[in-house]
Amino acid sequence: MRMRLIAAAAATALLGALLVPGGAQADPLSAAHAGTPDATECTLNPAQPKRQLRAMWIASVVNIDWPSAPGKAEEELKAEYRGWLDLAQRLNHNAVVVQVRPTADAFWPSPYEPWSEWLTGKRDNVGPGWDPLAFLVAESHARNLEFHAWFNPYRVSMPTSASGLGAGTDVNNLAPGHPAREHPEWALAYPVNAAGSRLYYNPGIPAVRQYVQDAMMHAVENYDIDGVHFDDYFYPYPAAGQDFGDQATFEQYGAGFASKADWRRNNIDLLVHEMSQRIKAAKPWVKFGVSPFGIWRNKAADPLGSETNGTQSYDANFADTRKWVKEGWLDYIVPQIYWNIGLAVADYAKLVPWWSDVVAGTKTQLYIGQADYKIATAGQPAAWFDPAEMSKHLTFNRDYNVAGNVHFSAVQVRANRIGATDLYAADHYSKPALVPTMTHLPSKPLLFPVVTKADRSDAGVALKWQPLADGAGPFGTAASYAVYRVNGLRILPSACDLADATNLVATTRGTSFTDTTAVPGQRYTYFVTSLDRLYNESLPGPARFVP
């Protein structure tokens, strides 16, 4: 009987998938069942969206989040990271953004760069004896969390601290064989003779741009990452009274540019555009995103700018982030809108609509970088002492093209000061959510799975399912599955049953799941769908009723 059910379901799925034109993903609601309401007619719960990116930054530089201190043993480091993933799961996050190249170094055995001192506690070429990046990716995927590898392209060092970490401005303090020691002409100290001075690669040197791309692409090519992520550091933020010391480089390479500023912006444009091309050439499914400073330009400086009066990334970091979106170089952008609603110089409620307008009509998805580190922190405006401020941000986002949020950073999320994390999680992350799809990335039609077992016990309802023709012929491969539960007996789901996350119980990479939230004695119908690695979704499989 079981095999006949699977065979019948497979025939139905094959026919349905092949009827979808051009290999497009069928809508699992409108295309699945004739006569059911169209999903567009459903009343959706805005607090429980079906798709929304939810993530936190996990920073390694100066041991902000992970590792919590340098030189820890392998098992201690692994336990720490699992703790961050526990937190992500508790908050119904579906991605993590982990810094794996903080200062021209590596959290993996790189042929280009030394091991990171923030990992080993030393500036040498002696590794930890294991591959942290391989572990980070595998452990994240085991929890069905996307793994976005966060790279800082040009920062070479941090100021020397009391602990001795941080190479400062002397290239001879870097690890033996470090590229900046081999090519000291590649590195510049900034600011000069000032507190906080550090080394940066000179973005205007073509060989530098090629090198940093090669170093980052090694991780893309050799690890199963889901995304490449840059933060806001391109050219360093300007120090008062000092210009970045690249005049000689400009004279050598800047012919044809009206100003040094235009040349610098072109250098960063080239980095972003070339990385975008190289990532997609190597692995078309890997996403590329940037998290810039939240202000591109102020309207007073440019009529296309925002109604703000703060630092401009276009002029400070020479990052023309608006151009990158309009040119289609990015899959997503995460502006760091680290200001409260109503702040005069940079109002959250003005910047989100501005960025929403920028991404409208482009392929680039908009996520917002959220400043959890400001919550109840001394010296911040009064709004940050309101436990609901962050929740208000997420509510505000609903009216704009905001597809998700990334919180800075993990230790601040875990701190839950004045209960703010608990509050915004309850208001906005109470149910799981699927990662938003990106229709411009490659996909194949997916076949639904067939539930072969649904047993009730004291532990809950245990489900097992079997994928159909997974990855065979013209069909895509399921990377994970979504489990939906509706009350009562259903032969087919209505369009509204699966339109938001109200009935979404979980996503999982396995082919089994135990619903521990099932109420004893309550009758349920379960539906399971397949998800590929880009979270395109199949039709729902045959219903499984549990009395």
Side-chain angles (χ1 to χ4, degrees):
M1 178 65 180
R2 172 172 171 265
M3 293 308 297
R4 287 200 299 272
L5 172 63
I6 293 174
T12 303
L14 286 166
L15 178 61
L18 290 171
L19 289 175
V20 178
Q25 292 296 308
D27 185 317
L29 307 174
S30 60
H33 309 295
T36 58
D38 189 280
T40 60
E41 300 175 1
C42 301
T43 302
L44 304 180
N45 184 345
Q48 296 178 350
K50 180 169 179 172
R51 293 187 181 273
Q52 182 181 60
L53 185 98
R54 302 168 184 168
M56 55 187 172
W57 278 289
I58 301 177
S60 59
V61 70
V62 298
N63 301 110
I64 292 173
D65 297 309
W66 183 90
S68 63
K72 288 194 170 187
E74 175 181 350
E75 290 309 312
E76 189 174 5
L77 287 170
K78 288 181 175 180
E80 276 190 3
Y81 188 70
R82 291 187 182 106
W84 290 124
L85 299 187
D86 290 343
L87 175 63
Q89 285 190 296
R90 180 172 67 80
L91 297 174
N92 282 321
H93 285 192
N94 48 32
V96 288
V97 183
V98 185
Q99 192 174 33
V100 297
R101 184 183 181 270
T103 49
D105 49 13
F107 274 68
W108 73 96
S110 168
Y112 295 94
E113 297 178 306
W115 285 96
S116 177
E117 64 180 310
W118 315 111
L119 172 72
T120 66
K122 299 169 290 183
R123 287 190 296 275
D124 58 25
N125 295 307
V126 179
W130 58 291
D131 188 337
L133 182 53
F135 166 78
L136 297 173
V137 173
E139 198 71 12
S140 302
H141 285 171
R143 314 291 189 100
N144 205 25
L145 296 164
E146 278 198 334
F147 184 90
H148 292 239
W150 168 13
F151 304 95
N152 188 286
Y154 290 124
R155 183 172 59 203
V156 175
S157 69
M158 293 295 287
T160 303
S161 67
S163 67
L165 293 181
T169 59
D170 187 348
V171 295
N172 294 313
N173 289 337
L174 299 170
H178 192 290
R181 290 185 69 166
E182 300 295 315
H183 299 277
E185 72 279 5
W186 284 6
L188 291 169
Y190 190 81
V192 178
N193 298 323
S197 186
R198 62 201 75 183
L199 291 169
Y200 295 89
Y201 281 127
N202 186 344
I205 299 175
V208 166
R209 190 175 74 250
Q210 174 74 34
Y211 157 74
V212 298
Q213 289 180 32
D214 291 345
M216 295 183 288
M217 284 301 301
H218 184 262
V220 176
E221 292 163 351
N222 290 279
Y223 294 86
D224 191 26
I225 65 175
D226 300 292
V228 169
H229 185 94
F230 290 173
D231 56 23
D232 54 318
Y233 288 95
F234 294 101
Y235 279 88
Y237 283 92
Q242 288 198 30
D243 190 24
F244 190 64
D246 59 354
Q247 179 62 30
T249 314
F250 175 53
E251 292 171 1
Q252 182 176 1
Y253 296 107
F257 290 93
S259 68
K260 187 192 293 187
D262 287 344
W263 169 73
R264 286 174 173 172
R265 273 184 289 274
N266 184 67
N267 293 331
I268 305 304
D269 286 351
L270 289 171
L271 170 74
V272 172
H273 190 200
E274 291 169 0
M275 272 300 292
S276 179
Q277 292 177 316
R278 291 185 66 173
I279 292 164
K280 292 301 186 283
K283 293 183 176 179
W285 60 89
V286 172
K287 302 169 185 178
F288 180 37
V290 174
S291 177
F293 188 76
I295 299 171
W296 171 70
R297 299 201 87 186
N298 301 311
K299 183 170 284 189
D302 190 316
L304 295 175
S306 52
E307 294 183 16
T308 49
N309 191 31
T311 299
Q312 305 170 113
S313 64
Y314 181 92
D315 302 281
N317 311 119
F318 304 96
D320 193 352
T321 52
R322 183 181 182 278
K323 176 181 179 178
W324 306 343
V325 171
K326 297 299 186 182
E327 293 291 338
W329 299 344
L330 303 178
D331 297 303
Y332 68 85
I333 193 162
V334 194
Q336 298 173 19
I337 307 184
Y338 286 173
W339 305 287
N340 56 277
I341 294 172
L343 183 70
V345 69
D347 188 347
Y348 186 93
K350 292 181 178 178
L351 277 162
V352 167
W354 185 88
W355 280 103
S356 177
D357 287 343
V358 168
V359 303
T362 75
K363 73 174 188 179
T364 305
Q365 288 184 352
L366 174 62
Y367 313 137
I368 303 300
Q370 300 290 351
D372 289 55
Y373 73 95
K374 287 189 173 181
I375 296 171
T377 299
Q380 296 299 331
W384 290 107
F385 292 83
D386 176 2
E389 176 67 21
M390 186 66 72
S391 186
K392 293 175 183 176
H393 289 198
L394 306 192
T395 300
F396 185 86
N397 290 355
R398 293 174 184 168
D399 294 330
Y400 299 94
N401 298 320
V402 178
N405 298 278
V406 185
H407 296 267
F408 188 81
S409 68
V411 291
Q412 312 296 338
V413 173
R414 183 177 63 187
N416 190 30
R417 287 188 296 276
I418 58 176
T421 301
D422 286 345
L423 181 59
Y424 73 70
D427 289 346
H428 301 278
Y429 301 162
S430 64
K431 298 286 291 185
L434 308 184
V435 173
T437 57
M438 293 184 174
T439 56
H440 63 280
L441 298 184
S443 65
K444 294 181 178 181
L446 285 169
L447 299 186
F448 57 68
V450 175
V451 179
T452 58
K453 176 183 176 182
D455 294 338
R456 188 187 287 274
S457 69
D458 291 342
V461 175
L463 303 171
K464 288 188 176 181
W465 53 85
Q466 181 169 321
L468 299 176
D470 202 25
F475 300 108
T477 300
S480 62
Y481 303 89
V483 180
Y484 299 87
R485 183 189 72 202
V486 297
N487 292 330
L489 173 62
R490 299 286 184 88
I491 301 302
L492 299 172
S494 74
C496 299
D497 285 337
L498 279 61
D500 62 16
T502 300
N503 296 314
L504 180 61
V505 179
T507 67
T508 179
R509 296 232 165 185
T511 55
S512 63
F513 172 75
T514 298
D515 179 11
T516 59
T517 65
V519 177
Q522 172 68 51
R523 297 191 298 176
Y524 296 118
T525 303
Y526 288 89
F527 298 96
V528 181
T529 62
S530 298
L531 304 165
D532 65 16
R533 69 172 302 144
L534 292 169
Y535 282 80
N536 296 299
E537 187 174 31
S538 74
L539 306 176
R544 190 63 185 246
F545 178 66
V546 179

